Amino acid sequence: MTYATELVRIRLKQGTTLERLKALRTEMAEQYTEHYGGSFDVQMYELEDGTYLDIWTWETRELAEAALGDTSKIPAFERWKSLVEVVSFDWAAEQDWGRHAR
């Protein structure tokens, strides 16, 4: 199976607290689960420059595009968009280079 990963680099808009964004992101993930099943994984990283990298790995690209194509089912997404500035958005596809863990 080939997973589709969206890499969304964001900056908080003035007046937005990280606590508010975390709560809203949890709500958003719950709404995606309700409408699209638990076919995704989410992670968030704070980068050294103060921006955040929000990573959503979906079971398929088609599922991801369907979810992103109709955000009317995800009211939390619309509120999320009002709190952040999207710095960049990219798709990534997993490559089989082997796993290296210690």
Side-chain angles (χ1 to χ4, degrees), residues 25-92:
R25 189 170 175 276
T26 298
E27 183 182 342
M28 188 168 57
E30 290 169 354
Q31 290 174 6
Y32 275 116
T33 297
E34 180 181 327
H35 292 284
Y36 296 99
S39 328
F40 61 88
D41 181 58
V42 295
Q43 297 177 328
M44 178 94 91
Y45 296 89
E46 183 174 5
L47 304 177
E48 290 181 334
D49 67 357
T51 62
Y52 295 86
L53 186 60
D54 199 3
I55 302 172
W56 291 67
T57 301
W58 297 84
E59 205 169 89
T60 65
R61 175 89 178 246
E62 293 77 19
L63 178 64
E65 288 177 341
L68 295 172
D70 182 7
T71 59
S72 67
K73 297 177 183 176
I74 316 298
F77 180 74
E78 295 302 318
R79 293 193 310 276
W80 177 87
K81 285 190 331 184
S82 72
L83 300 177
V84 302
E85 171 193 345
V86 175
V87 175
S88 65
F89 178 98
D90 292 296
W91 286 106

